[in-house]
Amino acid sequence: MMKNKFILAFSILVFLLIVVLIGYDFYTRNSRLKENVNELDIENLKEIDTTLIKYKELNPISCANKEITGLAISSKGILFACYSNGVDVFDSVGKALYSFSLKSPATSICFGKNNELILGLTDHVEMYSVTGRLLNSWVKINEQQYITSIACNDENVFVADAENKIIYKYDFDGKYISSIGKKDSTKNCKGFILPSMYFDVKVDREGQLWAANTGRHQLENYADNGDLRTSWGFASALIEGFVGCCNPIHFAILENGFFVTYEKGLNRIKVYNQAGEFNGVVAGSSHLEKCNTNSCSSKAIVNDLAIGPNNTIYIADAFSNAIRIFIEK
């Protein structure tokens, strides 16, 4: 009887010892994992091989302490920068030319087919002459809208609504035509996933629509009827991919069809070829230390991208109230 009690007690002791050892191993392994993750996030991802950086920065254009929200550049290199209550205009060397006021905060800007300015004013669209004369104010599609980007080809205007996760297609008279990007298996559309209030659209040199599906870490190309034609991009901590909850937050398209992308969090600007293959770096975290675009709020500071003549890359740096300029080395 005593022998059985001794065996039982010994067995319980061994069991408890095993539980303690397993718990200790789990705790220390988990701690090491956390340390490695933090080290990866803070150190490794910010380090970029200098041989990958293919651009150099020129002197920036000061924007007189105005928080820029969008950029549009004419074929002659004239810059139009919109902000909370107006638009500033600069010549090709950064000299301030003139400005005009807006009644509502501007979130985005682009040129129309006749060089008129099309502006997203938070919840609706307005069209202006380049001198600031109001030409048209478009009717809202939804009562609750948050317009983050506008692009157009020769026939249509595409308006990105981050609140409703949809792209509206208009004609140049402001007439609504259709919506693009709703989940629809017949169109091969899985729908936009937008964890944050960033939603960018652009039109390529063929006039085709591209949109950033940030939650899927992809750029997507849509046909005129709204069918998803193709997409590229993947989530990864590697330089070739897009890291974080939702990237790229902004993108632009070069004259040769290559893509320039902007990632928040790490703040890195990269170039991809037409097939979506990584081509090089414009600027990394060390170049963009003050551009700490990390917030997912609709009130987050925006760092827009635009392409000027000769594939010059312009960045609306709202943190330093400047337009930063990058050219190929």
Side-chain angles (χ1 to χ4, degrees):
M1 188 72 176
M2 287 294 294
K3 184 178 180 180
N4 290 340
K5 287 184 178 180
F6 175 78
I7 293 173
L8 178 61
F10 180 76
S11 299
I12 292 172
L13 182 62
V14 171
F15 175 75
L16 291 175
L17 180 61
I18 292 172
V19 170
V20 170
L21 289 174
I22 292 173
Y24 176 77
D25 181 65
F26 176 80
Y27 173 79
T28 54
R29 233 181 333 131
N30 195 45
S31 297
R32 289 195 301 271
L33 179 61
K34 287 182 178 179
E35 288 173 3
N36 290 338
V37 170
N38 288 335
E39 182 180 353
L40 180 66
D41 287 345
I42 296 171
E43 301 299 331
N44 295 352
L45 293 183
K46 286 186 177 180
E47 293 297 325
I48 295 178
D49 184 347
T50 55
T51 62
L52 297 177
I53 300 175
K54 299 184 177 182
Y55 286 73
K56 63 181 180 180
E57 186 171 8
L58 304 181
N59 291 330
I61 300 171
S62 175
C63 292
N65 297 320
K66 294 173 181 176
E67 187 180 298
I68 312 165
T69 54
L71 277 178
I73 304 173
S74 75
S75 58
K76 296 181 179 179
I78 305 300
L79 280 71
F80 290 76
C82 65
Y83 53 96
S84 59
N85 60 350
V87 175
D88 285 353
V89 185
F90 303 88
D91 68 13
S92 58
V93 296
K95 178 184 176 182
L97 298 178
Y98 61 92
S99 61
F100 59 88
S101 299
L102 301 169
K103 294 181 179 179
S104 301
T107 57
S108 50
I109 184 172
C110 79
F111 281 103
K113 64 178 180 180
N114 296 316
N115 285 326
E116 64 273 79
L117 292 171
I118 305 174
L119 285 156
L121 303 180
T122 308
D123 65 351
H124 70 288
V125 175
E126 291 182 353
M127 185 179 287
Y128 288 80
S129 70
V130 292
T131 58
R133 180 170 60 91
L134 178 62
L135 302 175
N136 196 0
S137 183
W138 298 0
V139 176
K140 291 190 291 186
I141 303 303
N142 289 309
E143 277 303 311
Q144 296 296 322
Q145 292 185 173
Y146 190 78
I147 296 170
T148 53
S149 183
I150 298 178
C152 65
N153 55 25
D154 290 337
E155 298 179 356
N156 300 114
V157 180
F158 304 97
V159 179
D161 176 4
E163 181 69 33
N164 295 288
K165 300 178 176 59
I166 204 72
I167 300 170
Y168 306 119
K169 182 179 177 180
Y170 292 87
D171 66 17
F172 280 90
D173 292 324
K175 179 183 177 181
Y176 169 74
I177 298 173
S178 62
S179 293
I180 296 172
K182 289 182 179 179
K183 188 174 182 179
D184 186 341
S185 59
T186 65
K187 293 181 176 293
N188 196 31
C189 292
K190 296 180 179 179
F192 291 110
I193 299 176
L194 307 176
S196 61
M197 299 301 284
Y198 294 98
F199 189 20
D200 206 5
V201 292
K202 292 291 188 296
V203 169
D204 64 20
R205 58 183 180 174
E206 308 297 331
Q208 296 180 349
L209 173 67
W210 287 84
N213 199 336
T214 61
R216 298 187 188 276
H217 300 88
Q218 291 184 336
L219 294 186
E220 299 178 342
N221 176 218
Y222 289 87
D224 287 340
N225 64 355
D227 287 357
L228 179 63
R229 298 178 69 250
T230 187
S231 64
W232 63 264
F234 59 95
S236 173
L238 300 175
I239 190 69
E240 296 87 351
F242 300 115
V243 73
C245 72
C246 36
N247 271 310
I249 58 170
H250 294 293
F251 72 100
I253 304 176
L254 297 169
E255 293 172 2
N256 61 0
F258 282 32
F259 297 86
V260 183
T261 63
Y262 193 115
E263 285 174 89
K264 71 179 177 68
L266 282 176
N267 292 295
R268 55 190 188 185
I269 302 172
K270 300 178 295 187
V271 178
Y272 293 81
N273 67 17
Q274 292 170 308
E277 298 167 334
F278 173 73
N279 181 260
V281 176
V282 177
S285 297
S286 61
H287 298 89
L288 306 167
E289 288 180 359
K290 295 181 180 179
C291 304
N292 190 22
T293 311
N294 230 345
S295 173
C296 293
S297 164
S298 62
K299 296 181 180 179
I301 291 178
V302 174
N303 292 328
D304 199 13
L305 281 175
I307 306 301
N310 302 314
N311 281 328
T312 302
I313 299 172
Y314 293 85
I315 304 167
D317 183 353
F319 285 86
S320 58
N321 305 120
I323 299 171
R324 300 176 67 174
I325 308 168
F326 291 84
I327 61 171
E328 283 193 271
K329 290 181 179 179

